[in-house]
Amino acid sequence: IDVEADKDLLYIAEMAMSAPLPQGWTEHADTTGREYYHNSVTGVSTYEHPLDNHYRSYYHSVKARQQQQPAAEAPASYQQEREVP
């Protein structure tokens, strides 16, 4: 997200940053202190929050819809999008 060009979409970044971990995932730190996530069911570990792809896709879909709409419709669309994570 470009913080200048996408000011109206920063709520998506805020949602992503405060998203709880999905069930089965736990947060840990490696030997250097870097956070990573582990899924106890699948055995998968990753340095990306398990929901990062979800919020990244959501951002891209909202951005694409905004680019297809006339500027006059953007504020109403913006309010509606904020309600649908």
Side-chain angles (χ1 to χ4, degrees), residues 43-60:
V44 170
S45 292
T46 179
Y47 284 102
E48 279 196 12
H49 190 283
L51 295 177
D52 278 357
N53 282 333
H54 167 76
Y55 286 103
R56 193 175 297 117
S57 294
Y58 179 62
Y59 161 77
H60 289 297

